[in-house]
Amino acid sequence: METEFYRMKRLPPYVIAEVNAMRHAARRSGEDIIDLGMGNPDRPPPQHVLDKLCEVAQKPDAHGYSQSRGIPGLRKAQANYYGNRFGVDIDPEREVVVTLGSKEGLASLANAITAPGDVVLAPNPSYPIHTFGFIIAGATIRSVPTTPDEEYWRQLESAMAYTVPRPSVLVVNYPSNPTAEVVDLAFYERLVAWAKENQVWILSDLAYSELWYDGNPTPSIMQVPGAKDVAVEFTSLSKTYSMAGWRIGFAVGNQQLIAAMTRVKSYLDYGAFTPIQAAACAALNGPQDCVEENRRIYHKRRDVMVEAFARAGWDIPPPPASMFAWAPLPPALAHLGSLEFSKQLLTHAQVAVAPGVGYGEEGEGYVRIAMVENEQRLRQAARNIKRYLSAQGINTGDRRAAG
């Protein structure tokens, strides 16, 4: 029986999946593909975190159902993280819930607070869950820019003035995935004031909180007095501690939103495996030199990539944060579009990147490059790209990145 299910009709084909399928096929055929497409950390978690996982997994009573909202020790560890990192007091009982990664957390909250027909403001381009989590829940998306300039604020005001029904939720994501753009605390102060005036909930995705460069730590919206009145913020251990597959994240902030999300999750899951939650406590409570080391490594990779790609003939702005670079297509190949360019780069240079159009129509003309290969592999990617660009008749004279 052929049935077109309601929610399936609301989900377009996943553009990035086309490049992923090509990458898998190329690897199966024996090609050496340098994968800069998926933001999958290549470094292992800290040893003391692995040790804690193994220790707790040996306990006979650690293998039953856990707690959907997270074990008390982990919620307390996350509250302590906010206190130590941002100087913010968080109540671990009423203002924290553990999620199965920030992606699941955003989807669960979308289901908790969204009614069919609600309007949600989400950035374009954006990480897909920022829009499709709400689309699956029945909402309508109105796009706003990613770049936090005055045009951003004009778009917010226009959305509130001309959208029916009035938007009830705004999603923000800084450092941005995919664009790597950042904001300062003054931006969040203005945003909280705007949200209170317009009675809009703010969902802040801070998954890349610890991957910042050039001496500019990323702020949290929770540092703004009164932010808890209107906001919830999501963080993750995926990139900070190279624990992406462990699926541990958090939501903190407004008690009403946290309670709604906790209630929905109680119907959907029993929480993460208890030994994983115990190991996550070890990550947050243990020595943090591993966080600084990760940051140093990604920072060095960024500098190597920007310089090497510039020498190859492709100028890429250095990202101020995150593990991604948001790269405009080489001008001579801009006519290809991001999807076709990504396919050609994979086929002819054996380098996988993510087409920008996969993050929304405003992502057209860009690709996202993940810094998940070591410096040697990044230089090899640059050499492969140089050969490809030369074959296209593009001048790839030995150049250094501007500045």
Side-chain angles (χ1 to χ4, degrees):
M1 182 175 65
E2 290 291 332
T3 302
E4 192 173 9
F5 298 110
Y6 166 72
R7 284 181 174 79
M8 297 304 100
K9 290 188 289 186
R10 305 199 78 205
L11 297 177
Y14 194 39
V15 172
I16 298 172
E18 292 189 46
V19 178
N20 290 343
M22 290 179 62
R23 181 190 67 217
H24 292 316
R27 282 184 163 168
R28 281 197 302 270
S29 68
E31 292 187 55
D32 179 21
I33 302 299
I34 301 173
D35 188 2
L36 308 180
M38 189 174 183
N40 203 14
D42 62 318
R43 291 174 48 75
Q47 187 60 48
H48 67 277
V49 175
L50 296 172
D51 292 342
K52 177 59 70 173
L53 173 69
C54 295
E55 173 194 331
V56 179
Q58 295 294 325
K59 298 181 178 181
D61 61 351
H63 300 273
Y65 295 125
S66 190
Q67 295 187 33
S68 177
R69 67 181 184 134
I71 61 176
L74 185 51
R75 286 183 277 112
K76 183 176 180 180
Q78 177 67 355
N80 289 339
Y81 164 75
Y82 264 82
N84 295 331
R85 172 69 163 82
F86 301 113
V88 175
D89 290 329
I90 298 292
D91 181 350
E93 288 300 313
R94 294 186 294 270
E95 296 176 345
V96 180
V97 61
V98 179
T99 65
L100 305 180
S102 57
K103 188 174 184 179
E104 177 273 325
L106 282 155
S108 290
L109 185 55
N111 278 301
I113 67 174
T114 306
D118 282 355
V119 176
V120 172
L121 303 176
N124 190 341
S126 72
Y127 188 53
I129 196 64
H130 296 152
T131 54
F132 288 104
F134 288 96
I135 288 173
I136 292 170
T140 298
I141 301 296
R142 174 156 179 162
S143 296
V144 294
T146 300
T147 303
D149 56 13
E150 283 305 313
E151 179 59 22
Y152 178 87
W153 299 103
R154 285 193 289 271
Q155 291 284 346
L156 288 188
E157 294 300 334
S158 178
M160 299 310 297
Y162 299 110
T163 308
V164 179
R166 282 169 61 87
S168 56
V169 175
L170 168 67
V171 180
V172 294
N173 172 215
Y174 299 104
S176 169
N177 179 9
T179 71
E181 292 169 296
V182 296
V183 295
D184 58 16
L185 192 58
F187 174 88
Y188 285 135
E189 291 170 345
R190 186 173 176 181
L191 194 66
V192 168
W194 175 89
K196 290 186 174 184
E197 178 183 350
N198 289 280
Q199 297 184 325
V200 172
W201 296 115
I202 300 173
L203 310 187
S204 169
D205 185 352
L206 193 63
Y208 298 91
S209 60
E210 299 309 323
L211 291 183
W212 46 267
Y213 313 122
D214 305 316
N216 295 310
T218 57
S220 162
I221 195 172
M222 292 299 152
Q223 292 174 262
V224 178
K228 291 181 190 178
D229 296 338
V230 293
V232 157
E233 187 162 71
F234 294 88
T235 56
S236 167
L237 302 190
S238 294
K239 310 309 189 296
T240 304
Y241 299 98
S242 300
M243 295 167 62
W246 297 48
R247 309 315 301 136
I248 290 289
F250 305 90
V252 307
N254 180 269
Q255 292 184 17
Q256 184 180 351
L257 294 181
I258 294 295
M261 183 178 172
T262 301
R263 185 172 178 183
V264 165
K265 280 178 58 63
S266 71
Y267 284 92
L268 298 177
D269 68 71
Y270 287 109
F273 185 39
T274 298
I276 288 179
Q277 294 197 56
C281 291
L284 288 168
N285 294 332
Q288 299 299 298
D289 54 328
C290 55
V291 178
E292 176 60 35
E293 176 69 2
N294 261 358
R295 186 183 305 123
R296 185 193 66 77
I297 288 171
Y298 281 115
H299 193 169
K300 179 62 174 175
R301 288 180 181 181
R302 181 200 73 169
D303 293 345
V304 166
M305 181 191 67
V306 168
E307 180 177 12
F309 279 39
R311 288 178 178 273
W314 188 6
D315 291 326
I316 297 174
S322 85
M323 64 193 304
F324 304 114
W326 188 235
L329 303 189
L333 299 177
H335 65 281
L336 294 176
S338 62
L339 179 57
E340 180 60 27
F341 174 77
S342 299
K343 291 179 178 180
Q344 290 204 15
L345 209 61
L346 181 62
T347 301
H348 301 294
Q350 291 73 53
V351 175
V353 297
V357 72
Y359 302 94
E361 62 188 75
E362 296 301 324
E364 184 54 270
Y366 293 82
V367 295
R368 193 194 72 173
I369 302 173
M371 299 179 288
V372 292
E373 294 271 13
N374 62 39
E375 295 169 29
Q376 179 181 348
R377 294 282 280 174
L378 290 171
R379 291 190 175 97
Q380 179 62 55
R383 290 192 292 270
N384 292 3
I385 289 169
K386 183 173 183 176
R387 286 197 299 269
Y388 164 65
L389 295 179
S390 295
Q392 304 304 308
I394 297 172
N395 181 6
T396 60
D398 192 20
R399 301 179 298 151
R400 292 184 179 272

